[in-house]
Amino acid sequence: MLITTTDTVQGHQVEDYLGVVAGQAIYGANVFRDLFAGITDFLGGRSGAYESVLRGGMEEAMKDMQERAGELGANAVVGVSVDYEAVGTEGSMLMVAVSGTAVRLR
């Protein structure tokens, strides 16, 4: 299935718009990961632990969205948007949400 952030796909025409589809992944914060991320942030560097969680969350959310699009008979999702949010008590959880329009391309 083709997934794109653009509204159109070069060389293809949208045959049917099947509806908005979304996927989410929510992860609880890990105390040790938070501690090491804080040290990394204090020393000035990238937090590999958080980057890994964000990547994994996006992959899971995309998979979730693709499954929903497939259930509608789509062969592509266009106009995809990715959003990251801290949710829960005092931002204790991380949510990755993706959404787009399920379409059937010619």
Side-chain angles (χ1 to χ4, degrees):
M1 179 172 299
L2 179 67
I3 307 293
T4 182
T5 58
T6 61
D7 295 334
T8 60
V9 178
Q10 187 174 0
H12 296 277
Q13 189 171 12
V14 174
E15 187 174 284
D16 286 314
Y17 289 90
L18 304 170
V20 173
V21 289
Q24 300 83 25
I26 300 176
Y27 295 93
N30 179 300
V31 173
F32 294 110
R33 185 171 37 233
D34 287 349
L35 174 64
F36 290 122
I39 291 169
T40 300
D41 290 342
F42 177 74
L43 297 175
R46 292 173 62 168
S47 175
Y50 277 127
E51 288 176 359
S52 178
V53 169
L54 289 173
R55 256 190 313 277
M58 189 173 87
E59 289 170 8
E60 287 298 316
M62 287 281 192
K63 187 187 314 181
D64 191 27
M65 181 183 67
Q66 278 184 271
E67 288 174 9
R68 286 182 169 71
E71 291 168 0
L72 295 175
N75 62 2
V77 181
V78 298
V80 172
S81 174
V82 180
D83 186 35
Y84 299 93
E85 292 287 330
V87 296
T89 307
E90 297 179 15
S92 62
M93 300 174 87
L94 173 68
M95 178 180 74
V96 182
V98 297
S99 62
T101 303
V103 297
R104 193 172 302 117
L105 298 175
R106 283 188 227 202

